[in-house]
Amino acid sequence: MRQQEKYTGRLLVLEIIAILLGLIFISPFYLVLTNSVKTLRDILVDAASLPSTIHWSNYSQVWNIIDFPAAFWNSFLITVLSVVFIVFFSSMSAYRISRRPSKFNVFMFLVLISAMIIPFQSIMLQLVRVTSLLELRGQLYGIVACYIGFGMPLSVFLFHGFIRTVPIELEEAATVDGCNPYGIYFRIVLPLLKPIMVTVIILNTLWIWNDYLLPVLIIGGNKDLTTLPIAVTKFFGQYTKKWDMALAGLMMAITPVVLFFLTLQKYIVEGVTSGSLKG
Amino acid sequence: MKKSYHFQKGWGPQLVFMGPSLIFFLIIVIVPFLLGFYYSFTDWDGLDLDKAVWTGWSNWHRIFNDDDKFWESFLFTIRFTVVGVVLANVLGLTLALLLMKALKSKKILRTIFFLPNVIGGILLGYIWQFIFIKGFSTIGELTNLPFFQWTWLGSPTTAFWGIVIVFVWQTSGYMMVIYIAALAGVSKDLIEAAQIDGARAFQLFRTITVPLIMPAITICMFLTTSNAFKIFDLNLSLTRGGPGTSTQSLAFNIYAEALFNNRYGLGTAKALLFFAAVSLITITQVWLTKRKEVAA
């Protein structure tokens, strides 16, 4: 065993440097938070000081202007539905590919993986065409369908890498006992996949929750489906700078995902690491 | 090869297990991707989605002979990618090395450095628009430092660095997490043996740590390269490509061509070129860094 490192003067210097870096890193959030409760006049006079009086009305006004509950609900619903389907479909395929690597399945796996390199901009215009044709545009199920399609490659890849390490004996035993393939998958395989499932859920949740361009293109004119990131862009027109409203809107949009991160921190960092190291 | 049991043979399970993912994947990703090859030879305007007249090589001709803006944004994207990738990885690795030490504030700092990553590029761009326009000018008044008094988003050079700053701020925490995982896997015995042999800190880092974490370097370089090269959200919300079109990224140029100018056909041709460039750059990069990896 290594002995505990002593807390030396050198470490103290490093600690101070690290803390200073940390302060620089969060200072943008500090400025957004403090100014979001100031009046526009106070922001323009001095954006660095703490607010003299806390001015909550920015928040209540923005809450109504963007219809926060509706925008939040849309983002939530789109994210949850997409992630649930992604987890089911991608784990099933990864399982099949792994346990029955026929020529077709292996080929499709390679196509899926290769597709990860395609940038969204190379697909988006034609996607508008295809989704209009299938009457998916402006619909909740339409945008969810898009996320399922785009979520497939990485998720199948992650599940596939994990399933390869799961011993096959349990499933064989279940087969002998007369369990059908669906029973094996739902009762035996799926529960075993929990660790990688957490990673898949987190990576997809963060991406879908924050996504901007796909909803803009697919939701299009349907105002009833406006998501949080789209709602907030309202306050950032090119010429009018109503910072008080804009900053309160920004705070309202980032708070849910920051809370999500702070509560699930450990899993998010693990998920990101295992996602990247395998992907 | 793994043996498969007889229950999984047959069409039923194949359809149930493979069907849903393949249907969504093919319709949403593959079909549109392939359609791009057709549309890039048409005058598709996006307004009338059905009408797209075959125009042969004219889109391609136009891109290569008569579209300076496209090549300017290409150049901007390459410059941005090189600078952004180097800085994000240097800072990410530095933070990781720093937080591997027995600091008391280690846990909270990891959280802080990673935080920008959970927020989307669109919102980060807006946050920094405020910082650059109002935050910096206030700090400039208080401190008289010229750095904070520049009109950051007002000139092409500072706007370029503005996007770089935000990109590095957003990305380095993610890279830090990957580097920390890699550094944690470096054998303590090797480091101690080298220390006994008299290796200095920098020598130790260069000859032992770096070769051992090379796989993580490959991954981080890959992620930052492809993210930087595809930059869109941040670009849109922070500078809108401005001033003028001086900070327009490739992805943004394609978007603007289609949605502002209604030239979808031309946009798809550019998008295919974009795809080719992304593939070429990321594959080359992975190939180059892979060669430096050692078998651990």
Side-chain angles (χ1 to χ4, degrees):
Chain A
M1 267 279 116
R2 272 159 57 91
Q3 65 194 49
Q4 188 73 37
E5 250 184 290
K6 268 210 201 112
Y7 200 79
T8 56
R10 219 175 130 254
L11 264 184
L12 182 69
V13 174
L14 285 178
E15 179 110 47
I16 293 169
I17 295 174
I19 291 176
L20 283 177
L21 270 171
L23 288 177
I24 296 174
F25 247 75
I26 45 164
S27 55
F29 295 118
Y30 163 80
L31 286 172
V32 170
L33 176 64
T34 51
N35 285 295
S36 70
V37 288
K38 290 182 189 173
T39 59
L40 184 57
R41 222 185 120 247
D42 283 353
I43 297 174
L44 295 178
V45 172
D46 184 358
S49 65
L50 284 168
S52 49
T53 50
I54 294 187
H55 197 72
W56 288 114
S57 70
N58 294 340
Y59 281 83
S60 53
Q61 283 184 52
V62 169
W63 183 281
N64 294 325
I65 295 173
I66 64 176
D67 195 355
F68 182 81
F72 179 88
W73 176 245
N74 288 335
S75 281
F76 180 80
L77 201 61
I78 290 172
T79 308
V80 170
L81 285 175
S82 308
V83 170
V84 166
F85 283 114
I86 288 173
V87 166
F88 269 107
F89 294 163
S90 64
S91 61
M92 288 173 92
S93 295
Y95 170 64
R96 180 78 183 172
I97 293 166
S98 179
R99 295 299 190 234
R100 206 178 159 72
S102 65
K103 273 189 189 140
F104 175 81
N105 286 351
V106 171
F107 173 73
M108 283 323 296
F109 184 58
L110 290 177
V111 174
L112 270 162
I113 296 179
S114 323
M116 278 196 259
I117 215 166
I118 304 177
F120 179 69
Q121 275 80 7
S122 301
I123 304 181
M124 64 177 185
L125 302 176
Q126 305 89 288
L127 182 67
V128 169
R129 174 86 181 94
V130 171
T131 48
S132 311
L133 203 72
L134 298 172
E135 298 189 359
L136 294 170
R137 276 189 88 197
Q139 306 291 341
L140 177 68
Y141 56 80
I143 187 144
V144 170
C146 289
Y147 282 127
I148 299 173
F150 284 116
M152 240 3 103
L154 180 67
S155 309
V156 170
F157 181 65
L158 289 174
F159 275 120
H160 181 262
F162 187 86
I163 292 171
R164 273 192 320 185
T165 67
V166 176
I168 202 166
E169 282 73 21
L170 266 179
E171 298 157 44
E172 281 172 340
T175 313
V176 174
D177 289 345
C179 201
N180 68 24
Y182 312 112
I184 293 175
Y185 170 75
F186 281 104
R187 287 194 210 148
I188 296 171
V189 179
L190 207 54
L192 287 174
L193 300 184
K194 230 173 252 167
I196 196 70
M197 203 185 291
V198 173
T199 296
V200 170
I201 291 174
I202 283 168
L203 291 179
N204 283 300
T205 303
L206 288 180
W207 157 64
I208 295 172
W209 179 273
N210 286 320
D211 195 28
Y212 172 76
L213 190 48
L214 183 67
V216 164
L217 292 170
I218 300 301
I219 291 170
N222 187 351
K223 293 263 185 304
D224 295 338
L225 280 176
T226 300
T227 60
L228 265 183
I230 297 180
V232 174
T233 57
K234 252 185 218 164
F235 299 107
F236 288 88
Q238 227 164 345
Y239 306 107
T240 47
K241 281 287 169 275
K242 299 199 73 181
W243 288 120
D244 48 346
M245 298 282 132
L247 295 177
L250 269 178
M251 278 309 297
M252 285 162 63
I254 67 175
T255 304
V257 70
V258 168
L259 289 179
F260 175 77
F261 169 58
L262 292 179
T263 40
L264 297 178
Q265 217 184 127
K266 189 179 141 236
Y267 303 99
I268 292 182
V269 169
E270 268 169 23
V272 161
T273 326
S274 68
S276 323
L277 292 180
K278 294 198 182 103
Chain B
M1 185 107 321
K2 281 202 181 93
K3 56 178 173 178
S4 43
Y5 29 95
H6 70 275
F7 258 121
Q8 292 216 329
K9 285 187 178 144
W11 283 99
Q14 172 74 10
L15 270 179
V16 173
F17 282 93
M18 294 299 286
S21 2
L22 288 188
I23 288 173
F24 283 101
F25 174 67
L26 291 177
I27 292 177
I28 302 299
V29 180
I30 296 302
V31 168
F33 179 67
L34 295 178
L35 272 178
F37 290 93
Y38 166 73
Y39 281 120
S40 67
F41 291 99
T42 67
D43 68 350
W44 186 29
D45 65 4
L47 297 175
D48 197 340
L49 280 171
D50 294 321
K51 259 194 222 141
V53 177
W54 185 266
T55 53
W57 289 96
S58 79
N59 287 331
W60 296 95
H61 189 82
R62 180 167 173 165
I63 293 172
F64 284 101
N65 297 302
D66 193 22
D67 198 336
D68 293 346
K69 285 261 156 50
F70 180 73
W71 298 105
E72 270 166 35
S73 55
F74 213 122
L75 209 64
F76 166 84
T77 309
I78 289 179
R79 269 170 41 223
F80 170 77
T81 304
V82 172
V83 178
V85 167
V86 171
L87 292 181
N89 280 284
V90 168
L91 184 59
L93 186 53
T94 309
L95 293 178
L97 288 166
L98 203 54
L99 295 190
M100 286 302 281
K101 306 274 183 211
L103 303 182
K104 296 194 190 314
S105 53
K106 192 152 93 173
K107 273 195 179 149
I108 183 154
L109 285 176
R110 280 191 198 185
T111 308
I112 289 173
F113 291 134
F114 188 78
L115 188 61
N117 245 289
V118 298
I119 301 166
I122 276 287
L123 302 176
L124 290 180
Y126 288 140
I127 289 175
W128 276 87
Q129 206 188 78
F130 174 70
I131 305 299
F132 281 129
I133 293 175
K134 269 315 292 174
F136 273 23
S137 68
T138 312
I139 300 172
E141 277 166 36
L142 292 173
T143 60
N144 268 322
L145 290 172
F147 178 85
F148 292 107
Q149 292 171 330
W150 295 334
T151 47
W152 275 84
L153 304 180
S155 87
T157 318
T158 47
F160 172 83
W161 287 101
I163 304 178
V164 169
I165 289 173
V166 186
F167 177 78
V168 172
W169 176 73
Q170 178 191 14
T171 318
S172 52
Y174 199 111
M175 299 310 134
M176 171 195 76
V177 163
I178 302 173
Y179 282 129
I180 285 178
L183 286 170
V186 173
S187 138
K188 299 274 186 302
D189 297 347
L190 264 178
I191 304 269
E192 267 170 24
Q195 270 169 338
I196 291 168
D197 288 347
R200 286 161 182 279
F202 181 70
Q203 239 180 338
L204 211 66
F205 175 71
R206 204 177 56 92
T207 56
I208 303 206
T209 313
V210 169
L212 285 179
I213 60 164
M214 210 52 210
I217 296 180
T218 306
I219 292 154
C220 288
M221 295 282 283
F222 169 76
L223 288 174
T224 41
T225 309
S226 71
N227 285 343
F229 203 79
K230 291 190 272 195
I231 189 162
F232 176 81
D233 285 13
L234 203 59
N235 196 202
L236 179 75
S237 60
L238 186 61
T239 64
R240 273 207 144 245
T245 52
S246 58
T247 61
Q248 198 177 59
S249 69
L250 261 181
F252 195 163
N253 181 278
I254 293 166
Y255 175 80
E257 191 68 78
L259 282 104
F260 303 159
N261 301 336
N262 287 322
R263 289 192 280 255
Y264 276 52
L266 189 57
T268 30
K270 288 181 173 185
L272 281 179
L273 219 51
F274 182 50
F275 162 70
V278 171
S279 319
L280 194 70
I281 287 173
T282 48
I283 290 169
T284 313
Q285 176 265 311
V286 169
W287 180 70
L288 281 176
T289 41
K290 271 261 181 222
R291 283 200 316 179
K292 294 220 162 73
E293 281 180 21
V294 289

